[in-house]
Amino acid sequence: MFTIDERYRGLPASRDQVLALHLSLNTPHVAIPGKQAGPAQAFVVGLRGGQGAGVFVYLYLVEAGDCAVYVSGRRVQSADELREDEDDALGFVESLGFMMDNANWRAVAPAQQDEWLKTLPVFFKEPTLVPAVKARAEEKRNVATNLGRFLAAF
């Protein structure tokens, strides 16, 4: 059973901490309690920590630049438990309408892993720090500034 844990805003991790990564192939419209409804991306991530491993579901609300992190509530100690939680997480996000793809984290070259750690929203401490969100915010500021200059010219 996965539940939202408001303490999490992102899952920053090193390459060695990531055990599994699944990415959504689509961006269905979802409604998350307390968040603005809209298109979302889903990520299922297995992470190794100091007290074992855990599986997380990260839903990134694209238009809102917000997220929701779901946790299973248990720390897994074996590979079998990790697979069970991973299967449960995939079932959960698929029930929300996401089509998931296994990124095969361990088989991917380290350079690609580093690229994902720098660009996927799930690995940012705060969703507003995601490069695409920062670029959109900068674009909005530029539009507002240019509009202000245009109106001031009259």
Side-chain angles (χ1 to χ4, degrees):
M1 175 75 178
F2 283 83
T3 57
I4 292 179
D5 189 332
E6 295 291 338
R7 295 176 296 170
Y8 292 101
R9 297 289 297 154
L11 303 169
S14 68
R15 238 186 313 133
D16 296 335
Q17 290 176 298
V18 180
L19 300 172
L21 174 65
H22 298 266
L23 315 154
S24 61
L25 298 172
N26 61 338
T27 54
H29 191 91
V30 296
I32 300 168
K35 309 279 183 186
Q36 176 184 330
Q41 292 175 299
F43 301 88
V44 172
V45 183
L47 293 176
R48 177 189 353 256
Q51 301 172 352
V55 175
F56 300 85
V57 172
Y58 180 93
L59 299 182
Y60 178 63
L61 298 161
V62 178
E63 291 176 354
D66 200 358
C67 71
V69 179
Y70 292 78
V71 297
S72 69
R74 76 172 180 164
R75 289 286 181 184
V76 296
Q77 301 298 325
S78 71
D80 288 337
E81 289 178 334
L82 181 69
R83 274 190 296 283
E84 285 175 22
D85 276 8
E86 198 174 326
D87 288 343
D88 289 346
L90 290 169
F92 171 65
V93 294
E94 288 170 356
S95 74
L96 296 174
F98 291 98
M99 296 182 303
M100 301 301 289
D101 183 40
N102 187 344
N104 293 312
W105 180 266
R106 293 179 187 210
V108 173
Q112 179 63 54
Q113 292 174 343
D114 288 338
E115 181 67 21
W116 283 338
L117 289 170
K118 293 177 192 171
T119 58
L120 294 179
V122 64
F123 296 119
F124 283 81
K125 186 174 185 172
E126 175 64 38
T128 57
L129 300 177
V130 175
V133 172
K134 288 172 63 174
R136 249 190 332 268
E138 182 64 29
E139 185 178 303
K140 285 180 181 178
R141 276 193 297 277
N142 289 341
V143 167
T145 301
N146 290 338
L147 179 61
R149 287 181 185 155
F150 175 75
L151 293 175
F154 288 100

